[in-house]
Amino acid sequence: MTTSDKQEWVTEGLHAHYAQRLRVDEMLYDSNTEHQRLKVFQNGQFGRILTLDDVVQTTEGDNFIYHEMLTHVPILAHGNAKRVLIIGGGDGGMAREALRHTSVEHVTMVEIDAGVVDFSKEYLPMLSDGAFDDPRLNLVINDGALFMKENTEKFDVIIVDSTDPIGPGEVLFTDTFYGHAARSLTEDGIIVTQNGVPFMQGDELTGTLRAFQALFADASCYLASVPTYAGGPMAFGWGSHSDKARLVSLEDLEARFAAAGFDTGYYNPEVHKAAFALPNYVKKLF
Ligand code: AG3
């Protein structure tokens, strides 16, 4: 057999009329967990890739964009975030970025699938990069919606690092879940959510932001392009009981980022401010 005969690809099954295909240089893991079909494979462009039900969740190469934008934007906009809640995020990338802030005292991470955490530790250790060993991290294996419903703690920042609203992730897009989350935020707290690529999945953003408009004084979204979430920039939902954090000045962000004292691959205060500039096709979705 020649090499080309052996070429193997993963075709993403997320959209009805469009697909991306990723070359599998080596399949490292392929099995069913209790909740989902999980694959980890090596790709020449993106490094290690994690898929759930053949939808790309994260890659070694481009995860920094997604994880930095869902952590540093709300944490630095808040300015004094001590308690952070991550819903989902079993690969540990979100915890890694949240814990870079020495001002963050406590991160609770609620992941439904213990299998994702175990396999990520083994096959994607660069994703968590030690986060699972940080004493400030409290890892809870539970259904995020159930956790949120029963939660009595208040958080400064809530990050919903979900899959798309198919399968186990669906409950994380409901009004009920967002209602419980709104009640779990401090007065100046912020919730951010992953809302897919609005050009391809406009309903995802519309659904979340309609719910946010009913629950929060400030409901908006911001954008970043993540290469493996193909189809244009991805949208992140933003909800807060006050617009103070969203309207933070560039000067304040610069001072806070300098004080935070760590380096990033994507985030900087100018990108932070610019991410809230929305093209009309996105504005029209909510
Ligand atoms: N969670 C977001 C996956 C979104 C995939 N959606 C898409 N391609 N439109 C990623 C988890 C990383 N911690």
Side-chain angles (χ1 to χ4, degrees), residues 102-177:
T102 48
S103 57
V104 167
E105 293 170 357
H106 193 85
V107 174
T108 299
M109 178 178 142
V110 184
E111 166 62 48
I112 192 172
D113 198 334
V116 174
V117 176
D118 292 343
F119 288 110
S120 300
K121 279 188 193 169
E122 191 171 343
Y123 292 98
L124 301 159
M126 67 296 280
L127 257 295
S128 51
D129 194 25
F132 290 118
D133 302 321
D134 192 308
R136 293 174 293 161
L137 182 74
N138 173 29
L139 172 63
V140 179
I141 300 297
N142 193 1
D143 179 326
L146 204 67
F147 173 92
M148 204 79 267
K149 183 177 168 205
E150 290 167 358
N151 174 59
T152 51
E153 261 180 81
K154 298 269 188 207
F155 294 94
D156 300 309
V157 171
I158 298 178
I159 301 164
V160 186
D161 184 11
S162 64
T163 59
D164 288 294
I166 8 175
E170 206 173 339
V171 287
L172 304 181
F173 287 82
T174 60
D175 292 3
T176 315
F177 171 73

Side-chain angles (χ1 to χ4, degrees), residues 12 14-15 20 55-58 66-67 89-91 93-94 161-164 194 196-197 201 204 228-230 234:
E12 190 171 45
L14 183 59
H15 308 299
Q20 69 171 332
V55 177
V56 177
Q57 295 304 309
T58 198
Y66 176 86
H67 292 128
D91 53 71
M94 207 62 83
D161 184 11
S162 64
T163 59
D164 288 294
Q194 87 79 12
V197 171
Q201 306 157 284
E204 226 178 270
T228 52
Y229 303 147
M234 167 169 259

Side-chain angles (χ1 to χ4, degrees), residues 75-92:
I75 292 171
L76 292 169
H78 182 284
N80 189 28
K82 292 188 163 56
R83 305 185 68 78
V84 174
L85 173 66
I86 300 167
I87 300 289
D91 53 71

Side-chain angles (χ1 to χ4, degrees), residues 213-249:
Q213 281 163 340
L215 290 164
F216 297 106
D218 194 36
S220 189
C221 75
Y222 60 106
L223 305 172
S225 287
V226 181
T228 52
Y229 303 147
M234 167 169 259
F236 306 111
W238 173 280
S240 181
H241 298 304
S242 128
D243 64 5
K244 195 177 115 219
R246 189 173 48 86
L247 300 177
V248 62
S249 71

